[in-house]
Amino acid sequence: MDNYSGKIEYRIEAPFFIIKLSDPGRLNSLAGNDYLYLAQLLEKADEDDCVYFTVLQSSGRFFSSGADYLSIGKAQETNKSEPELNKWLSNFVSRNVYVTDMFTRHRKILICCLNGPAIGLSAALCALCDIVYSMNENVYLLFPFASLGLVTEGATSVTLPLKLGNNATYQALMFNEPIKYDKLKGSVITKNYGLNDTEKFNTAVMDELRQKTNHLYLPSILGIKKLLMINIRDQLERANAVEVNDALKCWVKGEPQKRFKELSLKQRKHKL
C-alpha cells in the first residue's frame, strides 16, 4: 500500500482509525492514486478488529477541492497511441468503481469531519459517510459534473436524492450550484461545531467521540449499521456501476479532458 504523494496521513487510536487529508496548500485536491490510497486505508480499517470507527479529517480551509486537474492532463498525455476506451477504463472506471465500492461496503462507522468545502468525487465520498460533522456554516458540497462534461459519480445519483430530496438534487446537479449549510443541516450534517480553526475542530470531534463511545458495546454499533444498510446497499452498488459506465462514454468522447485542460490553463473559471 503506497502513499504516492504524501497527501494523506493516518493513525490508529482504537477504536478509531483516523485518516487525514494533509495538503492544504493545494486545497487537498487528490490525484487518482490518492483516491486509491484512501480506499486502501478504508480496507485496512475494515480488516482491523480493534477499529469500529473510521474518521475522515482534513486540514486548512477546504476539506477537498476534488480531483487534481493537473493529474488528468498527465493521464491524457500518457500512452497517446492507446485507444481512448482502454485508457479511461484504467484511469477512470476501475478506480472509481473501487473507491466508491470501498465506501459503500465499509463495515465500520464512517465519520466525516467537514472543515470546509468539498468538491466532486470528494464531496460524493462525504455523502457516503454515516455521520458528517461541520466546522461551521461556511461548508458546502459542490458537484460540478455538468460543468466538466461528466455525469454523477460516487453513487450521488442515490445518496443526494435520499438525503436532500429529488428537487433539491436536480437543482444542485443540473445547474452546478453549491449545496450550502442551510440545506445540508439535518440531512447530511448532523452537528455544527461553530469553530473557525480546523485543528481545534478535529480535536473537538475526537474528544466528543471518545466521550460518546466509552460506555457502548461496540459490536452492537456494527450490527446496527449492517441492518441500516440492508435497504440501500444494493442501490448504491448498482448506481456505482451505471454511473461509471455512463461517464466512460464522456471520457471517450474527450469532453472532460478538454474542460479540465481549460481549468489548468485558467481558461475556465472553477466555481469554488
Side-chain angles (χ1 to χ4, degrees), residues 125-254:
L125 299 181
C126 292
L128 282 168
C129 288
D130 305 310
I131 299 171
V132 179
Y133 298 124
S134 69
M135 185 169 79
N136 52 42
E137 295 185 4
N138 296 324
V139 303
Y140 62 81
L141 302 181
L142 179 63
F143 302 92
F145 306 130
S147 177
L148 295 172
L150 286 165
V151 293
T152 54
E153 60 187 36
T156 48
S157 58
V158 170
T159 56
L160 295 187
L162 184 67
K163 295 184 177 185
L164 297 174
N166 282 327
N167 289 5
T169 298
Y170 270 88
Q171 180 76 12
L173 293 179
M174 300 303 171
F175 304 117
N176 190 27
E177 293 183 355
I179 307 171
K180 296 184 178 180
Y181 174 79
D182 61 335
K183 288 189 173 67
L184 294 171
K185 65 179 179 181
S187 56
V188 174
I189 292 172
T190 355
K191 179 176 179 178
N192 172 19
Y193 278 74
L195 297 172
N196 291 306
D197 182 280
T198 298
E199 293 311 311
K200 288 181 180 178
F201 167 57
N202 289 336
T203 299
V205 171
M206 291 309 304
D207 287 345
E208 185 168 351
L209 285 174
R210 291 186 187 97
Q211 183 180 1
K212 284 179 178 292
T213 58
N214 62 12
H215 67 286
L216 300 177
Y217 180 63
L218 297 180
S220 289
I221 289 175
L222 300 189
I224 291 169
K225 173 167 179 175
K226 179 182 177 182
L227 293 170
L228 288 171
M229 289 296 293
I230 283 175
N231 292 325
I232 65 166
R233 178 164 285 133
D234 286 348
Q235 296 179 53
L236 294 171
E237 292 175 356
R238 185 166 58 250
N240 185 22
V242 173
E243 285 176 350
V244 294
N245 278 299
D246 281 7
L248 176 61
K249 300 170 188 174
C250 302
W251 289 102
V252 170
K253 289 180 179 177

Side-chain angles (χ1 to χ4, degrees), residues 20-36:
K20 186 175 183 180
L21 308 185
S22 53
D23 188 22
R26 289 189 53 79
L27 303 181
N28 298 300
S29 62
L30 300 173
N33 284 336
D34 298 317
Y35 282 114
L36 286 175

Side-chain angles (χ1 to χ4, degrees), residues 13-64:
E13 298 175 5
F16 305 101
F17 191 105
I18 302 166
I19 301 169
K20 186 175 183 180
L21 308 185
S22 53
D23 188 22
R26 289 189 53 79
L27 303 181
N28 298 300
S29 62
L30 300 173
N33 284 336
D34 298 317
Y35 282 114
L36 286 175
Y37 182 62
L38 176 60
Q40 288 176 302
L41 289 179
L42 256 68
E43 192 170 16
K44 181 178 177 67
D46 225 8
E47 293 172 350
D48 191 327
D49 292 337
C50 296
V51 170
Y52 289 84
F53 301 88
T54 303
V55 182
L56 303 181
Q57 297 179 344
S58 194
S59 54
R61 62 191 182 92
F62 264 61
F63 180 82
S64 171

Side-chain angles (χ1 to χ4, degrees), residues 51-95:
V51 170
Y52 289 84
F53 301 88
T54 303
V55 182
L56 303 181
Q57 297 179 344
S58 194
S59 54
R61 62 191 182 92
F62 264 61
F63 180 82
S64 171
S65 59
D68 182 348
Y69 50 79
L70 297 177
S71 69
I72 303 291
K74 291 178 182 176
Q76 175 65 13
E77 293 301 314
T78 303
N79 299 326
K80 286 187 175 181
S81 61
E82 186 178 14
E84 290 296 297
L85 178 62
N86 293 359
K87 182 184 296 185
W88 296 107
L89 275 170
S90 58
N91 280 306
F92 172 77
V93 171
S94 57
R95 182 196 71 218

